[in-house]
Amino acid sequence: MTRRVVVTGVGVITALGTNIEEFWLRCLSGDSCVSAIPAHWRDYSDYQSDIWSPLPEIDFAEQGFTRME
């Protein structure tokens, strides 16, 4: 069976950026957003990992989304 795929756009929301250009430039420059989880988080759960990569604050309106979307 042959399948066709049409890519109509590309988007990202990651710790390295919220648009393709920023994300790609930070990937190429070797940036990393990985850091230790805040110590007080251990008070609320027994995490399996000691690291996280937090997302930046997102301006939903700038991205074309409402907060609910």
Side-chain angles (χ1 to χ4, degrees), residues 6-14 18-21 23-24 63 65:
V6 177
V7 177
T8 60
V10 180
V12 296
I13 297 179
T14 74
T18 58
N19 63 62
I20 293 295
E21 294 81 17
F23 170 75
W24 188 240
Q63 301 295 324
F65 296 105

Side-chain angles (χ1 to χ4, degrees), residues 12-33 53:
V12 296
I13 297 179
T14 74
L16 288 176
T18 58
N19 63 62
I20 293 295
E21 294 81 17
E22 179 184 12
F23 170 75
W24 188 240
L25 287 173
R26 292 188 69 190
C27 283
L28 292 176
S29 69
D31 285 358
S32 174
C33 298
S53 188

Side-chain angles (χ1 to χ4, degrees), residues 60-61 64-69:
F60 293 99
F65 296 105
T66 66
R67 208 163 155 75
M68 290 299 292
E69 291 174 312

Side-chain angles (χ1 to χ4, degrees), residues 24-54:
W24 188 240
L25 287 173
R26 292 188 69 190
C27 283
L28 292 176
S29 69
D31 285 358
S32 174
C33 298
V34 175
S35 61
I37 63 170
H40 72 278
W41 282 20
R42 296 274 180 219
D43 297 341
Y44 305 104
S45 184
D46 183 26
Y47 292 96
Q48 299 296 314
S49 177
D50 292 327
I51 60 173
W52 76 321
S53 188

